[in-house]
Structures are given as C-alpha cells and as structure tokens.
C-alpha cells in the first residue's frame, strides 16, 4: 500500500454539536463551511478526502466520533465540493470486517454523485484478476480513487413556488409504470437534448399524453444513483433498469439533461414540480434491499462495505453475505443503522424532493427479523406506518423476495398497498390459453379465480382492515413481456442479454395466437382484441390499476422479457405510431374514463357476501352464459369459459354495470341477465371494436341472446 497522504490537522474546526451528539449524517452546508458526518461503527480511523477542480486530493482526519458516527466541520468549502472517505480498521472477512483505506468510498448520504465506476481490479477491496475473480480474502492495497465516483455537496435551496402534492386518493389512482429514459428517448416532439431525461418526462408533450390517458400517478423505475454490474459491463452492455443502487439520496445523473451535479438535483425537482402542476403524482421504485457492491467475496468496495460491512449487510456467522435478493447481498434489516438510512432517505425524497410515495422492490427482504422470517410488525414497517411524514404518502410493496417463504402477497399491514401478482397470473391465464380453446391444466384458470380478482381479491386483502384498494392490479410490468409481446410470443427471446437466454421468467402465461413474433393481419387482429380484453379487465376490476408504460402504444421488446441491460431501441418507446396504435391509445383512455365515471368500479370496501355465491351478493351478481345465476357446478367446471358480472351501484349513487367476459376462442351467444329495475342493457364498450365507440346505439333486453365473438369483453349499462 502506498504511504498515506499527510493529514491537514489545521483544517479541523469547532463542531456544531457536542462530541456525544453526532450531527446529521451526510454533508450539510452551514455558515462558513460544511459539516460532514458518516457512520463507520467498527473503524479505527476515518479520513475525509476533498478534491479540487483539478482532481487533487487532500486528507482531513475525522477525530470526532461517537455512536459509530465520525464528523468534521470544514471551513471555506461549500456546495459543489467533491469528497469521499477512506476508512481504516480491521480486515477480518470471517468476522465481517473489510476495511481498506486504499479504497475511496462514497458517502451513503451523498445528495449528488459525480462520475461513474470504471470497472477495474482496483475498485475491489480484495485481490482479483483481470476477470474480477478472486478468493475474497486477500486485501488489495491499490488505490481506487481514479476509478470511482465522488460524492458532492449540494445546495438544498430550490424555488418550489406554490407546489402542492396532488394527493389523489387510492380510489382515483391510476398508476403508470415507466422508465425515465425509455419514455421520451424517441419522442420526436420533445427537444433532442431533453429526450430520455427528467426534463423530458416533464415536457408538455409527455404530460399531455399522460393526461390524455387518464393517468394520475407515474411510478418511475429506480432513479437513485446506480451503476452497472461488472459482469454486464464485460458483456459490452449496461444496467438500464437501475436496480443496482450506488446511493440512496442522489438522483441518477445519467437520467438528466444537466451535466453538473447541482443541476441534476434541480432538474429532478423541476420535473416533480411540473408534474404536480399537471395534477400527476410521482412515485419512486426504490431498491433498499441490496446495493451495487454485490457479494463480499465477488463484489467491489464502493461505499457501505468499506465503511462498515458488518453493520450495513446481513451476514452469517462466517461473515458471508446472506442473499435473499438474488443480487449478492442483502442490506441488514435487523440493524438500526441501515434501517435509519432507509428512513432518512425516504424522508429526504418526500420533504426535499417532494415525491408522493414509493414502491419497495423485494419488500419482504426489508422486513425479515433476526431469525430470518418475514415479520409484518418489523421495526422498519412499524416506523413507516407511524412516521408523521412517511405514513401520509403512498406506500406500495412488492410482496416477495428470493429467500425462504418469500412470497407474501396480501400479508403487508395497512396502509401498504401491494403488487397483486395473483391478479396478473389469473387474468393472463383466462384470456391467453396456451392452445386455442384450452388452458393446458394451469392453476388459476377458472372463472371462480377470475371472479375473485375482479371483485378485489378479498382472499388476499380481506383481513387487517384492508380493502380492494390495497391491491395494485397489473397484467404487465417492467419485469416480463409487454402487453403486445404477451400476445405475440410463447417463449422469451432474451439472446441480446448475453446470458444464453437463461435469464428472465419461463412462466409467462402468454399466447402467440399460433405464430411466434410478427404475423399476418388476421392473426394481428386477434392479438389486438386480446390486448383490449386484458386492458379492460385491468381498468374495470376492483383495486388500483397499474399500466405498464408503452402498453397503450402497443410497444414491443421483440419477445425479450428481461431487458434490464438494454438501453436501446429494445426498451425505448417507439412513437412512430401506426393507425392501430392510435386506436389503442384511445381505447386505453376510454376504459380509464369509464372507470372514473362509475364509482361502483372504485369501491373502497369489498362487496358483501361470498365471492362465488352469486345469489347471496347484495351488490355484485354472477351469471353464467345462459343468464342464470352461477351454480357451484359451473363455478368449479373447467369448461366454464364465460362469466357475467353485474355491479349494482345503487348504494353509491351509480348505475348497474354488466361485464361480459367470454374467454372461449369460439364465438356464440350469451343471454343477458335479468335484473330488477333494468329494462334494457345499453352497450358501453366492446373489445371487438378497434376504436372505442364504433357502435354507440346498441341495446338488448334482459333475457335476450346477444352475439359475442371469440375472446370478447363487453360492458353494458342498465337503463
């Protein structure tokens, strides 16, 4: 290891707090300078490294420390200052200690990050070869400073004007999941220098599209500063999705049009301000379950590992990472320091960046106790539910991880909402049989299961004072096929990812309609109807709908169901739209408008009665293809492929609505059910329509046979 640089003891100044009360973690401008504070609970020494405009480094010893926090006030520096840390202490991998002062470390609380990771052996705390392979035990004493990014001091001031959070109730919420880059990278009406950026998301053209659809809330794939995995870089690719966090406070600089770190922060704030002015909320997909450092035996030393590996990460008795995320490490949910980090980060994004809520990636990993089991009363979840700031924003859990008993859909406590993967699987399986007219024996295929999902998934969310609005319904998400690919591919086509097509899910519940990939017009016509069936079920079911961005455009990824490393045309939205794509946009807008106009579709509470006993339900009635109430025999029969649901909105001042879900690929007739007070059933929407409202005056009497085409969703209003 090279000789340490001299420490400028004269730069140490009076602290802003007594030695036994550490200042706030991070780097905070104060009068005349900056207060720096970082947690390194097992360190012997911590050095603050300041960089000038030429990149020259000077070292300042941080002698003041208590409760594991090391602090120093430095006069004469301010916003824009680049900095990092070097930490000395025990190197004892078996005990979980991996201190290495040769490695420059990012501040976990940095508000901005300048630069990227240059993947070389020097960025690893242990000795590796040129392919980054090593035993994980031998310390590497080469300096990493030339190959890692810098933390940046930020001026927190910003002119928010009269910014107010839209605060849409869950009942009125429609979520649009999108990637900052992909949304506008090819959008021609956005200026070229703003495409693929925070500013592009907030451009009037983008906002107008979201408002036209009826979206209330955008959910952005990770915007925390992130880096690519070394294995991805070695394949000549880059991490696109962002589930590889490098900092939990800094917006990712690669998503900004601004080039300076202060400008990146301001651009993100400006995006939020403009979306709010348009009545659109901003949710962030946040990844607190793991970091970009991967496993200690194979990953780099960039921040947390060098500061306090034993505290920040969940380790076993041999100092080996416990991995329930599939990414090499798990942020320790049992230790107060990382729990505080998560809470401080969340509050920062709400209070300083004005975001409206969060979707927690692999949320089960955040709520595992000391015994490793999921605990719905985990201290972090209790804190989120009771915090005066965080308990008042939208909280959405991805209710699974890759650890033992990791699937926990429906088991998070209120006020959490949850991604409902059961809805996804059931709806796909009903509308997209593997072979035309059959369901290949797959679970969840029956109309009993479908009815439960349409009614709000009471079997998942009917306890602990939860209701249907706890269910975030989705048919597609970033992880998996797009809506178009779901109807055009039976198999994943991930060859471009460079992993031998082994990555990505094999359980897609998709149907290519007889042809893999692009097809003739007859097949494409059937596919378009299937997409409309899926969209209608999503938009009109009880719960909170989440639309995957680009599905309204008919976006394809060429059958790639895991394009996490494809920052290119595979992932970007193609805005060169054919007539049928304009029709699909109008269809999506029309379906969401129907949802807004009919309160009975946005129930806060479950309908009374048992979900499968049509004759016992006061406000929701289930009928068979012949118009009669469903019987137990029909509910349980795999041959039942048609379901009619009457939503009675009388108690909420709404109409009676009739949904007809005809899942068979063969056409035929359904007998429209009789309902007290209904003289006619007026057709509001038909999935056979390429464009909404093609036929506006079609009516039928209760008890009358009505024609349906193969795979058909119809919505009627009782008059």
């Amino acid at each position: 290891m090279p000789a340490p640089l001299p420490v400028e003891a004269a730069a140490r100044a009076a602290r802003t707090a007594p030695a036994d009360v550490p200042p706030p973690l991070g780097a905070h401008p104060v009068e005349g300078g900056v207060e720096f504070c970082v947690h390194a609970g097992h360190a012997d020494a911590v050095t603050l490294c300041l960089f000038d405009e030429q990149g020259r480094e000077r070292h300042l010893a941080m002698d003041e420390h208590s409760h594991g926090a090391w602090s120093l006030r430095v006069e004469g520096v301010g916003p824009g200052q680049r900095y990092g840390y070097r930490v000395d202490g025990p190197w004892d991998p078996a005990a979980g200690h991996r201190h290495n002062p040769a490695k420059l470390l990012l501040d976990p609380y940095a508000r901005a990050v300048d630069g990227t990771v240059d993947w070389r052996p020097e960025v690893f705390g242990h000795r590796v070869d040129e392919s980054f392979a090593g035993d994980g035990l031998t310390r590497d004493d080469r300096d990493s400073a030339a190959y890692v990014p810098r933390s940046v001091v930020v001026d927190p001031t910003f002119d928010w004007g009269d910014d107010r959070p839209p605060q849409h109730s869950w009942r009125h919420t429609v979520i649009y999941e999108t990637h900052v880059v992909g949304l506008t990278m090819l959008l021609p009406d956005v200026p070229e220098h703003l495409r693929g950026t925070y500013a592009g998301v907030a451009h009037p053209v983008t906002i107008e599209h979201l408002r036209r659809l009826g979206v209330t809330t955008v959910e952005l794939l990770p915007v925390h500063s992130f880096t690519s995995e070394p294995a991805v870089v070695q394949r000549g690719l880059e991490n696109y999705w962002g589930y590889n966090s490098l900092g939990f406070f800094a917006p990712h600089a690669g998503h900004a049009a601004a080039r300076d770190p202060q400008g990146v922060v301001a651009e993100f704030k400006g995006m939020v301000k403009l979306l709010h002015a348009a009545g659109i909320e901003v949710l962030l997909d946040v990844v607190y379950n793991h970091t970009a450092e991967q496993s200690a035996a194979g990953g780099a030393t960039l921040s947390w590992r060098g500061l306090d590996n034993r505290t920040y990460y969940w380790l076993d008795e041999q100092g080996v990472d416990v991995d329930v995320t599939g990414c090499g490490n798990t942020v320790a949910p049992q230790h107060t320091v990382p729990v505080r980090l998560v809470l401080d980060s969340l509050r920062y994004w709400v209070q300083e960046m004005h975001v409206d809520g969060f979707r927690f990636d692999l949320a089960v990993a955040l709520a595992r106790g000391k015994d490793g089991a999921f605990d719905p009363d985990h201290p972090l979840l209790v804190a989120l539910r009771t915090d005066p700031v965080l308990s008042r924003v939208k909280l959405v859990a991805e209710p699974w991880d890759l650890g033992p008993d990791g699937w926990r859909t429906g088991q998070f406590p209120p006020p959490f909402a949850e991604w409902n993967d059961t809805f996804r699987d059931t709806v796909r399986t009903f509308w997209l049989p593997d072979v035309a007219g059959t369901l290949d024996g797959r679970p969840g295929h029956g109309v009993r299961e479908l009815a439960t999902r349409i009614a709000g998934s009471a079997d998942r969310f009917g306890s602990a004072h939860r209701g249907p609005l706890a269910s975030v319904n989705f048919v597609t998400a970033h992880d998996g096929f797009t809506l178009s690919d779901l109807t055009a591919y039976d198999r994943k086509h991930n060859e471009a990812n460079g992993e031998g097509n082994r990555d990505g899910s094999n359980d897609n519940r998709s149907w290519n309609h007889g042809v893999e990939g692009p097809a003739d017009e007859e097949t494409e016509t059937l596919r378009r109807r299937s997409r409309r069936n899926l969209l209608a079920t999503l938009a009109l079911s009880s719960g909170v709908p989440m639309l995957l961005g680009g599905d309204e455009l008919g976006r394809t990824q060429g059958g790639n169901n895991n394009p996490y490393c494809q920052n290119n045309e595979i992932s970007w939205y193609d805005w060169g739209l054919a007539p049928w794509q304009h029709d699909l946009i109008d269809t999506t807008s029309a379906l969401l408008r129907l949802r807004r106009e009919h309160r009975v579709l946005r129930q806060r509470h479950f309908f009374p009665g048992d979900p499968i006993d049509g004759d016992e339900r006061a406000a929701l009635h289930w009928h068979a293809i012949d118009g009669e109430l469903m019987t137990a025999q029909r509910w349980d029969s795999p041959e039942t492929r048609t379901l009619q649901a009457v939503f009675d909105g009388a108690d909420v001042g709404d109409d009676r609505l009739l949904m007809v879900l005809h899942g068979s690929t063969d056409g035929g007739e359904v007998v429209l059910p009789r309902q007290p007070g209904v003289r006619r059933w007026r057709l509001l929407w038909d999935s056979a329509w390429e464009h909404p409202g093609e036929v506006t005056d079609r009516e039928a009497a209760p008890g009358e046979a009505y024609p349906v085409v193969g795979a058909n969703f119809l919505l009627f209003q009782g008059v």
Side-chain angles (χ1 to χ4, degrees), residues 89-425:
W91 176 270
D92 186 357
H97 299 305
R98 292 180 172 271
H99 300 99
N100 187 339
K103 308 305 170 182
L104 183 71
L105 307 175
L106 279 170
D107 180 1
Y109 280 71
R111 269 47 171 180
V113 172
D114 184 27
T116 59
V117 177
D118 182 0
W119 285 103
R120 295 170 51 99
E122 288 87 345
V123 305
F124 292 78
H126 59 282
R127 181 68 64 171
V128 299
D129 59 24
E130 293 301 319
S131 67
F132 306 145
D135 61 12
L137 301 177
T138 305
R139 195 170 82 170
D140 182 280
D141 292 332
R142 288 174 291 183
D143 198 318
S144 69
Y147 312 110
V148 295
R150 315 294 191 235
S151 307
V152 184
V153 179
V154 167
D155 180 354
T157 60
F158 180 79
D159 181 9
W160 283 103
D162 59 353
D163 179 67
R164 295 288 186 276
Q167 291 186 318
H168 296 296
S169 69
W170 278 117
R171 174 186 288 178
H172 298 102
T173 297
V174 176
I175 299 173
Y176 185 89
E177 189 200 31
T178 188
H179 192 287
V180 169
V181 174
L183 177 60
T184 66
M185 197 65 175
L186 301 176
L187 186 52
D189 291 330
V190 171
E192 187 171 355
H193 70 287
L194 300 181
R195 295 177 194 169
T197 69
Y198 303 122
V201 173
H203 191 274
V205 172
T206 313
I207 289 176
E208 175 56 32
H209 177 72
L210 297 173
R211 288 174 59 87
R212 174 186 174 190
L213 290 177
V215 167
T216 68
T217 307
V218 293
E219 180 180 303
L220 301 178
L221 266 66
V223 298
H224 288 170
S225 180
F226 64 88
T227 187
S228 296
E229 300 86 340
V232 173
V233 173
Q234 288 174 324
R235 297 199 303 272
L237 299 168
E238 63 178 290
N239 188 304
Y240 171 66
W241 282 353
Y243 294 91
N244 202 43
S245 300
L246 196 58
F248 296 134
F249 291 77
H252 187 64
H255 290 355
R259 297 275 64 94
D260 65 291
Q262 184 73 50
V264 171
V265 175
E267 184 177 330
F268 183 92
K269 291 179 177 179
M271 174 193 70
V272 174
K273 181 178 178 180
L274 289 171
L275 287 170
H276 281 181
I280 298 173
E281 297 175 312
V282 179
L283 302 189
L284 301 186
D285 191 339
V286 288
V287 189
Y288 294 112
N289 56 79
H290 73 279
T291 77
E293 291 184 312
Q294 300 185 300
S295 70
T301 295
L302 304 171
S303 180
W304 308 271
R305 178 165 295 131
L307 288 164
D308 197 346
N309 183 63
R310 184 171 172 176
T311 293
Y312 280 112
Y313 293 121
W314 185 2
L315 309 177
D316 66 16
E317 294 178 355
Q318 288 74 46
V320 176
D321 287 282
V322 176
D323 181 11
V324 299
T325 68
C327 300
N329 65 55
T330 305
V331 174
Q334 307 91 351
H335 200 288
T336 56
V337 171
V339 167
R340 178 186 174 186
L341 172 68
V342 172
L343 293 171
D344 286 347
S345 170
L346 292 169
R347 277 190 290 265
Y348 173 77
W349 286 96
V350 173
Q351 294 177 306
E352 297 295 328
M353 308 295 264
H354 287 207
V355 304
D356 304 285
F358 307 93
R359 178 265 191 187
F360 294 88
D361 179 66
L362 301 181
V364 172
L366 299 173
R368 290 185 179 270
K370 292 182 178 180
D371 61 355
F374 171 74
D375 181 5
D377 292 319
H378 186 280
L380 177 57
L381 299 189
V382 172
L384 288 168
R385 299 166 64 194
T386 58
D387 186 276
V389 173
L390 301 178
S391 64
R392 301 183 66 81
V393 300
K394 286 184 165 71
L395 304 174
V396 181
E398 182 183 39
W400 51 81
D401 68 9
L402 276 66
D405 300 315
W407 185 78
R408 296 286 176 168
T409 302
Q411 299 177 42
F412 277 74
F416 276 90
E418 300 177 38
W419 273 24
N420 188 350
D421 57 317
T422 313
F423 181 95
R424 173 199 65 197
D425 293 347

Side-chain angles (χ1 to χ4, degrees), residues 168-176 216-217 219 281 283 394 396 417-420 423 453-454 456 461 467-475 537-547 592 595 601-603:
H168 296 296
S169 69
W170 278 117
R171 174 186 288 178
H172 298 102
T173 297
V174 176
I175 299 173
Y176 185 89
T216 68
T217 307
E219 180 180 303
E281 297 175 312
L283 302 189
K394 286 184 165 71
V396 181
E418 300 177 38
W419 273 24
N420 188 350
F423 181 95
R453 302 302 145 231
I454 291 172
F461 304 102
L469 297 177
S471 174
V472 175
N473 298 333
F474 67 104
V475 174
T537 310
L538 173 65
L540 304 179
S541 293
S542 295
V544 178
M546 184 185 80
L547 179 70
L592 293 176
R595 179 182 180 83
L601 301 174
R602 298 179 280 106
Q603 294 279 75

Side-chain angles (χ1 to χ4, degrees), residues 44-122:
D44 296 330
V46 178
T47 301
L48 171 66
C49 308
L50 301 181
F51 295 85
D52 64 18
E53 293 182 357
Q54 287 72 43
R56 293 176 299 212
E57 179 178 355
R58 64 184 177 120
H59 287 187
L60 309 176
M62 303 182 77
D63 291 338
E64 203 70 55
H65 60 94
S66 60
H67 312 308
W70 301 67
S71 60
L72 178 67
R73 175 169 172 162
V74 181
E75 303 291 345
V77 299
Q81 176 65 57
R82 272 66 168 170
Y83 70 100
Y85 294 105
R86 295 181 186 270
V87 178
D88 204 352
W91 176 270
D92 186 357
H97 299 305
R98 292 180 172 271
H99 300 99
N100 187 339
K103 308 305 170 182
L104 183 71
L105 307 175
L106 279 170
D107 180 1
Y109 280 71
R111 269 47 171 180
V113 172
D114 184 27
T116 59
V117 177
D118 182 0
W119 285 103
R120 295 170 51 99
E122 288 87 345

Side-chain angles (χ1 to χ4, degrees), residues 328-618:
N329 65 55
T330 305
V331 174
Q334 307 91 351
H335 200 288
T336 56
V337 171
V339 167
R340 178 186 174 186
L341 172 68
V342 172
L343 293 171
D344 286 347
S345 170
L346 292 169
R347 277 190 290 265
Y348 173 77
W349 286 96
V350 173
Q351 294 177 306
E352 297 295 328
M353 308 295 264
H354 287 207
V355 304
D356 304 285
F358 307 93
R359 178 265 191 187
F360 294 88
D361 179 66
L362 301 181
V364 172
L366 299 173
R368 290 185 179 270
K370 292 182 178 180
D371 61 355
F374 171 74
D375 181 5
D377 292 319
H378 186 280
L380 177 57
L381 299 189
V382 172
L384 288 168
R385 299 166 64 194
T386 58
D387 186 276
V389 173
L390 301 178
S391 64
R392 301 183 66 81
V393 300
K394 286 184 165 71
L395 304 174
V396 181
E398 182 183 39
W400 51 81
D401 68 9
L402 276 66
D405 300 315
W407 185 78
R408 296 286 176 168
T409 302
Q411 299 177 42
F412 277 74
F416 276 90
E418 300 177 38
W419 273 24
N420 188 350
D421 57 317
T422 313
F423 181 95
R424 173 199 65 197
D425 293 347
T426 301
V427 173
R428 287 187 181 191
T429 304
F430 178 79
W431 287 116
L432 301 174
D434 271 345
V435 181
T438 74
L439 291 158
D440 202 26
R442 289 178 292 174
H445 70 270
V447 292
R448 178 195 297 261
E449 182 83 4
L450 180 66
T452 303
R453 302 302 145 231
I454 291 172
S457 296
D459 60 333
R460 303 287 180 225
F461 304 102
S463 60
H465 306 289
R466 306 181 84 189
L469 297 177
S471 174
V472 175
N473 298 333
F474 67 104
V475 174
T476 54
H478 69 275
D479 190 359
F481 281 147
T482 65
L483 185 70
S484 283
D485 288 354
L486 200 61
T487 65
Y489 295 93
D490 278 355
R491 301 178 305 279
K492 64 186 181 184
H493 296 266
N494 298 356
E495 291 81 5
N497 297 350
E499 300 184 46
N501 208 35
R502 294 183 299 274
D503 62 304
S505 176
N506 293 315
D507 182 19
N508 294 295
R509 302 183 185 229
S510 59
W511 178 33
N512 66 11
H513 293 73
V515 180
E516 190 78 354
D520 57 75
E521 181 57 27
E522 181 180 358
T523 302
E524 293 294 346
T525 297
L526 296 175
R527 289 173 174 177
R528 291 196 292 270
R529 186 158 70 242
S530 289
R531 294 164 199 158
R532 293 191 292 270
N533 290 332
L534 293 163
L535 281 172
T537 310
L538 173 65
L540 304 179
S541 293
S542 295
V544 178
M546 184 185 80
L547 179 70
L548 173 62
D551 277 354
E552 78 281 10
L553 310 177
R555 181 172 72 93
T556 178
Q557 294 171 168
N560 192 324
N561 74 352
N562 188 39
Y564 74 100
C565 55
Q566 300 296 332
N567 188 7
N568 51 46
E569 288 83 356
I570 291 175
S571 299
W572 302 339
Y573 302 8
D574 184 355
W575 293 89
L577 305 181
W580 69 266
Q581 292 173 292
H582 288 286
D583 289 340
L584 189 59
I585 294 172
D586 290 340
T587 293
T588 305
S589 177
L591 289 168
L592 293 176
R593 182 173 63 252
L594 286 168
R595 179 182 180 83
R596 288 195 305 274
E597 291 174 348
H598 294 283
R599 186 177 177 184
V600 71
L601 301 174
R602 298 179 280 106
Q603 294 279 75
R604 292 180 55 213
H605 305 288
F606 291 108
F607 293 99
D610 187 283
I612 65 169
D613 292 332
D615 57 343
E616 293 183 6
R617 299 179 69 74

